Amino acid sequence: MDLVRNTGDFARTLSNARRRGDDVGIVPTMGALHAGHRSLIDRAVAERAHVAVSIFVNPLQFGDAGDLDRYPRSLEADLAVCAEAGVDTVFAPTVAEMYPAAPATTVSVQGVSEPWEGVSRPGHFDGVATVVAKLFAMAGECAAYFGEKDFQQLAVVRRMVADLSIPVRVVACPTVREPDGLALSSRNVLLSPEQRRAATVLWRALSAGGEAVEGGEDRPEAVARVMASVVGSEPLVRLHYAAAVDASDLSVPRSLRDVGSVHLLVAGEVGPVRLIDNREAVAPPLAGATGERRTRAGGVPAPAG
Ligand code: PAF
């Protein structure tokens, strides 16, 4: 496995791999790798001949300096995870290498990056889109693996790829959870045991919301209320938002029956940590429906992959 620190070397390594006829896969990360990242890496290794993992804590996507400082970093352990998984290249640049000067060019994805995390973390998705665009520009034609845990991030990246005709196939991988439902996140290590226990309320809220949708509740605000009341029962967690949305553009439809795919989103603060989670929710078929998919209310079609 090669460790590459320089942007030019990273681009050359992947272009050489393609020249040899290798199909390239990349897994963009901020390090502190856990089993969730490992599932993305394993899938990339199973599907592609040459796999690169990027490890870069991107300052552009952090709103406050404290959060950036607190973000866990563990390069040695991360390299061991990548080597064991059979990764070919790790790209771990310094901040000065990625941003020799504050970028005058940034990427901003209108619409899908504005609600939810966009409200709670202004500027966050501009930072994500900018660094992912840089990684894609260096990587060239490839498949890029992202976790569904960051559902809005996935939607932002997909929209950017479509709008800018970037030759990258975005592959979405399912969220990995602890046995008690807590979604794996690099930030979980910052939780005390008590906060860690309280954090499971996000998954309990999503489960309750999912049951409401499956039981026929088609009013998004009613489903959101169900989720909010579950989170509200946990005094250690401060709710940021709970929502039932159209998965294609993350908008709130008038009725959940109007959309092809319903997704539930929740975010909250547990001690020093902000956690997000999501799940799909499947509405029961309409009485008399023939099994055809309902038409979407509008928005960007969810791409395959
Ligand atoms: O999901 C992450 O770890 C980051 O947001 C990403 C995509 C690596 C960009 O810094």
Side-chain angles (χ1 to χ4, degrees), residues 63 109 111-126 152 156 238-243 250 252 265 267 269 274 276:
V109 181
V112 74
S113 66
E114 287 164 18
W116 319 123
E117 289 303 285
V119 173
S120 296
R121 304 178 71 189
H124 168 68
F125 286 123
D126 290 0
Q152 192 172 2
V156 168
R238 190 164 75 82
L239 180 72
H240 282 197
Y241 58 79
L250 308 194
V252 178
L265 310 174
E269 214 172 292
R274 194 163 177 286
I276 57 173

Side-chain angles (χ1 to χ4, degrees), residues 49-263:
H50 187 108
V51 171
V53 173
S54 66
I55 298 179
F56 178 63
V57 182
N58 173 35
L60 241 52
Q61 69 189 73
F62 287 81
D64 90 86
D67 193 24
L68 175 60
D69 289 345
R70 271 196 306 274
Y71 200 84
R73 290 159 172 90
S74 54
L75 185 60
E76 287 311 309
D78 293 347
L79 292 176
V81 170
C82 291
E84 200 204 73
V87 168
D88 302 283
T89 304
V90 171
F91 175 49
T94 60
V95 172
E97 175 66 22
M98 282 294 268
Y99 302 116
T105 307
T106 56
V107 180
S108 192
V109 181
Q110 316 285 303
V112 74
S113 66
E114 287 164 18
W116 319 123
E117 289 303 285
V119 173
S120 296
R121 304 178 71 189
H124 168 68
F125 286 123
D126 290 0
V128 170
T130 301
V131 80
V132 172
K134 278 170 76 78
L135 289 169
F136 286 179
M138 289 174 235
E141 199 174 330
C142 66
Y145 293 77
F146 289 88
E148 284 176 347
K149 152 84 171 38
D150 295 301
F151 195 73
Q152 192 172 2
Q153 167 173 282
L154 188 59
V156 168
V157 170
R158 281 178 153 157
R159 183 71 205 230
M160 176 185 79
V161 163
D163 285 351
L164 300 182
S165 307
I166 298 175
V168 170
R169 176 166 179 257
V170 176
V171 181
C173 305
T175 303
V176 178
R177 299 183 180 282
E178 302 277 11
D180 61 8
L182 183 68
L184 295 194
S185 160
S186 302
R187 294 174 191 271
N188 292 353
V189 299
L190 303 173
L191 298 169
S192 70
E194 210 189 0
Q195 291 163 346
R196 159 72 187 73
R197 183 203 46 73
T200 59
V201 79
L202 296 190
W203 175 241
R204 285 185 270 123
L206 290 170
S207 304
E211 277 165 28
V213 176
E214 280 149 28
E217 180 55 78
D218 61 2
R219 294 165 303 158
E221 62 289 351
V223 177
R225 270 198 305 274
V226 167
M227 293 192 284
S229 87
V230 175
V231 177
S233 69
E234 176 45 76
L236 293 185
V237 178
R238 190 164 75 82
L239 180 72
H240 282 197
Y241 58 79
V245 300
D246 180 340
S248 70
D249 62 2
L250 308 194
S251 66
V252 178
R254 275 174 34 165
S255 161
L256 298 177
R257 293 195 182 275
D258 291 343
V259 300
S261 171
V262 176
H263 221 84

